[in-house]
Amino acid sequence: MARIDAHPGEQAAQDPIRLLAIRESPLSVDEIFRAVGDDAAGGTTLFVGTVRNHDGGADVDTLGYSCHPSAEAELRRVAEKVVADYPVRALAAVHRVGDLAVGDLAVVVAVSCPHRAEAFEACRKLIDDLKHEVPIWKHQTFSDGTEEWVGAC
């Protein structure tokens, strides 16, 4: 009897990192979802981070993201670690920089795996590590005139 993981769909894809980017242009959920399409994946998890109108009990008026020149290389390192730790068929992550408005998409990540539990776990690891390890900073200005920087590192 063949082992269950002997099927090609149970093994890592040749190049599962399909799309990684940090860009100033608006993000597309459809683009990210298409990038992780894989016939051997039984589960695809997508996370969308949006700009909200408040933070820490204060109203947010404006928000901007900036990044260190090493951010894309660090994003790749984070993605490679997720691929090494989970049976990822396809992975994509895009973060926006520049000035954003309330409701704009700030980050979209997606992971496809043979099974749903793996896809959820891998996607959670991807977004959590992106937020903690990739040098992208958020500058918020509040309606009371105060402002703050929030950093990933």
Side-chain angles (χ1 to χ4, degrees):
M1 180 184 221
R3 288 178 11 157
I4 202 163
D5 63 355
H7 189 278
E10 297 293 327
Q11 299 167 15
Q14 287 293 94
D15 186 8
I17 299 175
R18 306 277 176 85
L19 173 63
L20 295 177
I22 296 173
R23 52 172 81 140
E24 291 185 24
S25 58
L27 306 184
S28 165
V29 171
D30 291 338
E31 175 192 22
I32 307 305
F33 185 70
R34 280 192 307 272
V36 296
D38 190 290
D39 290 343
T44 299
T45 302
L46 183 97
F47 172 81
V48 179
T50 56
V51 176
R52 64 182 176 265
N53 65 359
H54 68 282
D55 191 27
D59 293 334
V60 172
D61 279 351
T62 62
L63 184 142
Y65 285 97
S66 60
C67 67
H68 189 271
S70 68
E72 283 195 11
E74 289 300 307
L75 179 57
R76 176 158 293 280
R77 184 188 59 74
V78 164
E80 288 171 348
K81 179 83 167 94
V82 171
V83 166
D85 291 346
Y86 296 91
V88 173
R89 299 295 309 170
L91 177 150
V94 182
H95 202 296
R96 188 150 174 217
V97 293
D99 295 329
L100 283 73
V102 170
D104 282 349
L105 305 184
V107 61
V108 182
V109 301
V111 177
S112 293
C113 292
H115 306 283
R116 74 177 174 273
E118 301 157 341
F120 276 114
E121 291 171 20
C123 193
R124 175 74 181 246
K125 179 75 169 158
L126 177 60
I127 189 61
D128 286 352
D129 288 357
L130 184 161
K131 297 306 280 181
H132 290 108
E133 299 178 26
V134 178
I136 298 172
W137 303 282
K138 176 172 58 173
H139 181 241
Q140 301 182 111
T141 303
F142 300 101
S143 60
D144 66 3
T146 61
E147 56 185 57
E148 75 174 346
W149 283 93
V150 180
C153 300

